[in-house]
Amino acid sequence: EGALDEKSEAQLLDELYDSVIAGANKNDIDEIMIPRETVMAATKEKPLKVNFKQVVQRRAIEQDYLEEIEQAYLQLEGARRT
């Protein structure tokens, strides 16, 4: 079973953000804090790509998730305006 079988994606991301990222943000300066609007989950249709050493291939992931990343930053801009 996957992590989303019992929870919605939003619920899971909120839980992860509150329990992990928010705590890390408390110790960081504003410029490097991770905003909630930019946290997303990978999908089965577009799994995160890794190389033979199991290192995440950032550029390939950025290409695969370009639309989602752009949407996240649009949401962030909207949230900062309000």
Side-chain angles (χ1 to χ4, degrees):
E1 289 186 16
L4 295 178
D5 290 341
E6 297 180 21
K7 298 180 183 182
S8 72
E9 180 178 346
Q11 287 174 318
L12 179 64
L13 291 176
D14 284 341
E15 192 175 296
L16 288 171
Y17 188 85
D18 292 341
S19 64
V20 179
I21 299 170
N25 278 347
K26 288 180 186 177
N27 299 321
D28 291 334
I29 59 174
D30 289 345
E31 289 80 11
I32 62 171
M33 287 186 176
I34 300 170
R36 169 61 183 93
E37 294 83 2
T38 62
V39 177
M40 63 182 76
T43 65
K44 288 181 184 180
E45 296 78 28
K46 292 193 269 185
L48 300 180
K49 293 180 180 174
V50 295
N51 65 17
F52 69 96
K53 291 184 176 182
Q54 299 301 302
V55 175
V56 174
Q57 294 182 318
R58 179 180 170 182
R59 288 189 180 146
I61 294 168
E62 287 175 345
Q63 288 176 339
D64 288 349
Y65 283 91
L66 183 60
E67 276 185 42
E68 292 88 343
I69 293 168
E70 288 177 349
Q71 184 63 35
Y73 280 99
L74 288 174
Q75 288 177 351
L76 178 60
E77 285 179 23
R80 288 187 172 167
R81 288 186 189 143
T82 58

